[in-house]
Amino acid sequence: MENQNHDFTRTPHDVVIVGAGLAGLFCALKLAPRPVTVISAAPLGRGASTAWAQGGIAAAVAETDSAEAHAADTIAAGAGLVDATVALGLAREAAARIEDLLRYGVPFDRDLEGRLAVGREAAHSARRIVHVRGDMAGQAILSALIEAVRATPSIRVIEGYAAEGLLTEDGAVAGLRLRRAGDDTAAPLAIASRAVVLATGGIGHLYAVTTNPAEAGGLGLAIAARAGAIIADPEFVQFHPTAIMVGRDPAPLATEALRGEGATLINGRGERFMPARHGLAELAPRDIVARGVFAEIAAGRGAFLDARAALGAHFAEKFPTVYASCVAAGIDPAQQPIPVAPAAHYHMGGIAVDDRGRSSIGGLWAGGEVSSTGAHGANRLASNSLLEAVVFAARIADDIDGCGIAAPARAPTTPSGLRNSAMPALSVASLRKMMTSQVGVIREGEQLAEAVRCFAATERDAGNVALRNMATTALLVAASAWTRRESRGAHYRLDYPAEKPSLAYRTVTTLAAAHEVAASLCERATARIALPMIA
Ligand SMILES: Cc1cc2nc3c(=O)[nH]c(=O)nc-3n(C[C@H](O)[C@H](O)[C@H](O)COP(=O)(O)OP(=O)(O)OC[C@H]3O[C@@H](n4cnc5c(N)ncnc54)[C@H](O)[C@@H]3O)c2cc1C
């Protein structure tokens, strides 16, 4: 493990991976014995959504299942925007990547005959979720990978540093700007590398109600966008319908697998409300269930997940993580319905990448949730994200190995003139609140326009780099949500409630384009209001 006092900025690095979740660590292991530096804002094992995954990994490994059926379900969930080739590629490579994970020591559950045990999740037409000890998949996967990384001498890990900017030369990556995480006024450092892999996870923490860790604030997406990278589908944010509402930030999750096992959604009057909304009731696509839960809460009836009949006394043994979250909040889920609400959970959009994980900037790859491969379209199929992370991390490693990266020409100079103020807690809270209330489960034109203007002003004027990066990503999400005048998948517009066949294409955008949207919306509003900025 890297001695944190060593001056890691002096020597140029071969490959730098930012992020130590599934995508980052798997890519580092696949690159071994090639020297790799992994940078993680949080200590290994913390600050990664991977550790919290409860369902597992979708993989058509059962005899009765097929990659074609898996791809068809993925395409159906994605509301017309899934790239069919990417979906089929993911499904076909799943079994090989599960084998890799088994080799790295992940103890996937097996059935009595010793075959991989597979569970069912919403919108999957077959039982195909490979899991570990019920709902412990994420933690088990991450622990096994961390152990494998620690046993791999070619991987050095730098913990406690956050990437806050990309360095480029002649339009290609030349390195990264970093700062000690949690120390806003520390001097920024530069690290040189011609090959950078961003694996920084999602954007959930831009929302006030989320299941994601604090590190999932969209910073990786922002630094790529600020360097000019093409961004795809940023408006598509998946809200998990059943975050457990017990006053915790982030909110603990009641996994979809609970509904797979027969738990139902009821309101405060004890009535099931999903059968009236969709033929699959509680197993309908996530966006439909999220809007159902949202509507009950908005109508003042509340929403609860009721596992009393389906699981009862078996709850603790089958879903230990959810059980522990409930019990800690004084709820016994074997005997009481669990209060739930929709929470920002997964970002389908991200840094646009090709089938090798390459972004539009030379020397920059992106893998895992920070990327947008086209696999998820407008709505991710449950348990496809861990799969995408391993499939693309492996492809990125192959691509880097095959592309002969030139060593950095010179050691980086220490960045100058980058003063940073302390992160203003109030501004962060306001941004997150605005994302939840105006760029959330249900969106509307004027509210989106206000959010766009506000995030653009914050991005322009913020004295803190992390806040500016949060505002960059928030702006990209809000501007694309404003531009897409239809409802599709996870993106629902109250003022355009129907899906429009003429808009059945992915969003491809840049930060410059988002700035143009903001400028035109500001012009429209100038007569009426002073520019708002998050205070
Ligand atoms: C509660 C929960 C349950 C889920 N359940 C499932 C499931 O069952 N199946 C499924 O397929 N998917 C699930 N998902 C989604 C899935 O877990 C994530 O999409 C996936 O783990 C993302 O992996 P990743 O490696 O891209 O990012 P992460 O695992 O989030 O890792 C990101 C890493 O980047 C680091 N980082 C972030 N920003 C910076 C920076 N600026 N500088 C340095 N480091 C940085 C973080 O500290 C972290 O190490 C779930 C998500 C959540 C939140």
Side-chain angles (χ1 to χ4, degrees):
M1 202 56 28
E2 176 69 13
N3 172 358
Q4 301 290 301
N5 295 321
H6 175 73
D7 185 358
F8 55 82
T9 61
R10 293 229 163 198
T11 44
H13 295 242
D14 185 19
V15 178
V16 171
I17 298 174
V18 188
L22 178 57
L25 296 185
F26 195 82
C27 187
L29 286 165
K30 279 280 177 184
L31 278 163
R34 186 177 186 130
V36 168
T37 302
V38 175
I39 292 165
S40 174
L44 281 199
R46 304 226 313 256
S49 291
T50 300
W52 296 355
Q54 295 177 359
I57 305 188
V61 290
E63 279 159 23
T64 47
D65 200 1
S66 70
E68 287 70 22
H70 183 181
D73 291 344
T74 303
I75 291 164
L81 299 195
V82 170
D83 181 325
T85 311
V86 174
L88 192 57
L90 275 197
R92 285 191 172 143
E93 287 165 49
R97 299 292 77 83
I98 297 289
E99 283 300 320
D100 288 339
L101 289 168
L102 286 165
R103 265 198 303 280
Y104 292 138
V106 179
F108 287 118
D109 290 347
R110 297 195 179 262
D111 64 16
L112 293 175
E113 276 86 45
R115 292 173 302 218
L116 285 169
V118 279
R120 175 106 194 258
E121 275 191 352
H124 282 277
S125 59
R127 296 183 77 87
R128 66 165 71 99
I129 315 304
V130 182
H131 45 81
V132 183
R133 295 195 302 280
D135 63 5
M136 305 289 283
Q139 210 176 87
I141 291 169
L142 201 59
S143 302
L145 293 194
I146 289 171
E147 209 168 301
V149 161
R150 287 197 164 123
T152 307
S154 58
I155 304 174
R156 77 160 159 182
V157 181
I158 296 171
E159 295 162 82
Y161 281 83
E164 61 175 34
L166 270 179
L167 307 175
T168 55
E169 263 173 30
D170 303 326
V173 162
L176 278 175
R177 206 176 64 240
L178 312 166
R179 202 183 295 265
R180 191 166 255 297
D183 186 356
D184 292 327
T185 52
L189 303 169
I191 177 168
S193 178
R194 291 280 184 217
V196 172
V197 181
L198 289 177
T200 50
I203 67 163
H205 221 75
L206 291 178
Y207 287 84
V209 184
T210 180
T211 61
N212 288 192
E215 286 74 9
L219 304 191
L221 195 158
I223 65 178
R226 294 178 80 83
I230 293 176
I231 305 300
D233 299 335
E235 68 272 36
F236 294 112
V237 180
Q238 187 171 76
F239 295 87
H240 196 290
T242 54
I244 305 174
M245 294 315 282
V246 286
R248 276 170 56 190
D249 177 25
L253 183 70
T255 171
E256 208 125 52
L258 278 158
R259 280 174 279 136
E261 293 288 333
T264 56
L265 283 163
I266 57 172
N267 60 25
R269 300 176 191 154
E271 302 156 344
R272 277 179 78 189
F273 50 85
M274 282 313 299
R277 288 181 160 261
H278 195 278
L280 289 172
E282 282 84 357
L283 296 181
R286 271 195 182 158
D287 59 305
I288 293 170
V289 182
R291 284 198 290 279
V293 171
F294 186 89
E296 291 302 308
I297 294 170
R301 292 187 286 271
F304 301 84
L305 186 65
D306 186 359
R308 290 174 295 182
L311 290 161
H314 299 293
F315 199 116
E317 150 219 339
K318 285 199 142 183
F319 295 96
T321 309
V322 183
Y323 185 78
S325 300
C326 291
V327 168
I331 298 162
D332 177 0
Q335 304 202 29
Q336 291 166 272
I338 308 164
V340 292
H345 184 60
Y346 182 78
H347 195 204
M348 276 73 75
I351 302 164
V353 294
D354 67 11
D355 59 356
R356 293 169 294 185
R358 289 183 183 192
S359 78
S360 60
I361 297 180
L364 181 68
W365 286 258
E369 194 169 335
V370 73
S371 68
S372 182
T373 64
H376 308 300
N379 209 4
R380 172 191 68 134
L381 182 64
S383 289
N384 264 356
S385 38
L386 292 177
L387 175 62
E388 181 193 47
V390 279
V391 166
F392 273 81
R395 291 186 187 181
I396 290 169
D398 271 355
D399 194 42
I400 289 176
D401 264 342
C403 76
I405 296 148
R410 54 176 178 268
T413 48
T414 306
S416 58
L418 286 161
R419 269 207 288 273
N420 203 27
S421 64
M423 179 96 122
L426 196 59
S427 303
V428 173
S430 306
L431 181 149
R432 295 182 68 202
K433 205 167 149 208
M434 185 169 256
M435 284 294 278
T436 286
S437 60
Q438 296 182 212
V439 197
V441 179
I442 301 210
R443 301 160 171 184
E444 181 276 326
E446 278 315 307
Q447 295 217 326
L448 286 170
E450 191 195 352
V452 167
R453 289 190 291 263
C454 191
F455 298 149
T458 305
E459 203 221 9
R460 188 192 57 218
D461 299 335
N464 175 275
V465 179
L467 175 62
R468 192 183 317 142
N469 278 332
M470 288 175 81
T472 298
T473 300
L475 171 64
L476 279 156
V477 176
S480 294
W482 183 83
T483 306
R484 187 174 282 278
R485 293 189 186 93
E486 65 160 350
S487 291
R488 182 181 292 276
H491 168 71
Y492 185 82
R493 287 277 299 251
L494 205 54
D495 43 350
Y496 296 98
E499 190 174 291
K500 289 188 188 158
S502 61
L503 296 180
Y505 50 80
R506 296 180 63 203
T507 297
V508 176
T509 189
T510 59
L511 183 56
H515 284 152
E516 274 172 34
V517 171
S520 75
L521 289 172
C522 285
E523 254 170 51
R524 267 182 27 179
T526 316
R528 284 186 287 136
I529 50 165
L531 271 191
M533 181 178 156
I534 283 171

